Every structure is written in structure tokens, then in C-alpha cells.
Amino acid sequence: MAVAAVAVFATAVPASAHDSLVHSTPEAGESLATAPESITLTYSGELLVLGDSTQGAVVLVIDESGRDWATGDVEVSGNTVTAAVEPGMPDAGYQVRWQVVSEDGHPISGIVPFTIGDAEPMTATQAPTDADAPSYVPDVSDPTDQSTDETDGGLRVLLVGGAGAAIAVVALVLYRILRRPKTAPAASAEGDAAEEK
């Protein structure tokens, strides 16, 4: 039973855990003296990609007008995502809006706000107007929020827990069968022989 319980918790805990953003360049709320040449996002686990290293991740660098300053392909390498930005970004507030696929297969997304120069932080969340911008825009009002789809993870935990409980019941039944005294039939046979005499 102890082994079954350990198996349940060992499989249920990872099933409900999603990766998260642990570091970014620029950092959330950072004020830069000059425009960055690229955006780097680092996560707690290796990310999943679809096909090549440019699929499965979206990074937008949005200003208050909705323009996306990210350019080129997003590169995913292990737990790191890198996106180049167009040169000439003016002093202003920006939001890095990202979406990636967590190591457990769940999409996660969030926003990293930053400013250039003495500009005020950006508060608007308009969609980008650039026709070449990726179609996905995370709608996250809290800049530090990282949203995940928890429904499948919760169902997986329930299924794993149910399987573990079933294993525990089977183990208990087998334990009782194997622990039965093997001398009982012999004693009964001796009793029958004594009655015949």
C-alpha cells in the first residue's frame, strides 16, 4: 500500500505542474536607456516546439498604438525563447506579450512590461495593427500574470489518483490472500480423521 501511495503522488504532482517564466531580458518593469536589440525569455523547464524551432512560441513587442516591434522568427532553444526587435524603437512604454507550450503540453502566456527612456509604463492592451504580426495576442490585464489551461491538468490528476486507488485496493487484496494461514486445511483433515475413529 505504501508503494502504491508513493506511485500516486509521484505521478500526480508532475501532472499538475506547468512551466513558468523565471527571467526575462528586459525584466518586468525595467526602464531601459536605449532600445533593446532582442527579447529573451527563460522558463523553468524545456519548452515544446512543433516542427522546427520557430513553431510553438509567439512573442510580440507592442507599443500603445498596437504596433508590433518584434521581427523575424522566434527562436526556441531548450528553456529559452529569443525574438529580435526592429531598430529605431522610440522612448515609450511597451509590453512583451508571449505564448509558449509548456513541457507538459499546456500553452502558457503572459506579459512583460518595460519602458525606454523616461516614458511612462504602457497601460493599454490593444491588438497589433501590423499585418505581418502573429495572430495570437494574449489578453492579460495583469503584467505579472501567467495563464494556463488547468482543466486538463485537473482531470489528469483525478484519473491518476483513481488508478492509484485501484492499485492500492488490488495490493491489499493480494496481501490478505498471501497472508492466509496455510495450515488450516491440514488441521481440518486431522479433525475429520479423529471423528471417524
Side-chain angles (χ1 to χ4, degrees), residues 53-109:
S53 63
T54 65
Q55 296 179 329
V58 175
V59 177
L60 309 177
V61 183
I62 306 298
D63 61 19
E64 287 191 340
S65 69
R67 176 178 175 179
D68 178 21
W69 289 84
T71 183
D73 292 329
V74 176
E75 293 294 332
V76 179
S77 177
N79 67 336
T80 302
V81 173
T82 305
V85 296
E86 295 181 25
M89 293 174 65
D91 291 0
Y94 297 87
Q95 289 181 348
V96 177
R97 304 181 190 182
W98 56 265
Q99 175 177 298
V100 296
V101 181
S102 179
E103 191 171 15
D104 64 359
H106 287 77
I108 58 175
S109 61

Side-chain angles (χ1 to χ4, degrees), residues 177-190:
I177 291 174
L178 294 176
R179 292 287 295 174
R180 283 184 180 172
K182 297 181 180 179
T183 58
S188 177
E190 291 176 1

Side-chain angles (χ1 to χ4, degrees), residues 186-197:
S188 177
E190 291 176 1
D192 293 342
E195 288 179 4
E196 290 177 1
K197 291 181 181 179

Side-chain angles (χ1 to χ4, degrees), residues 90-188:
D91 291 0
Y94 297 87
Q95 289 181 348
V96 177
R97 304 181 190 182
W98 56 265
Q99 175 177 298
V100 296
V101 181
S102 179
E103 191 171 15
D104 64 359
H106 287 77
I108 58 175
S109 61
I111 290 179
V112 178
F114 71 95
T115 58
I116 300 176
D118 296 327
E120 293 294 322
M122 175 182 163
T123 57
T125 56
Q126 298 97 331
T129 56
D130 190 341
D132 296 328
S135 59
Y136 174 78
V137 180
D139 183 13
V140 184
S141 58
D142 182 358
T144 61
D145 178 55
Q146 296 180 11
S147 59
T148 57
D149 180 5
E150 299 291 347
T151 304
D152 292 341
L155 180 60
R156 188 183 309 174
V157 171
L158 290 176
L159 291 176
V160 171
I167 292 172
V169 171
V170 171
L172 179 60
V173 171
L174 290 175
Y175 174 79
R176 289 191 174 181
I177 291 174
L178 294 176
R179 292 287 295 174
R180 283 184 180 172
K182 297 181 180 179
T183 58
S188 177

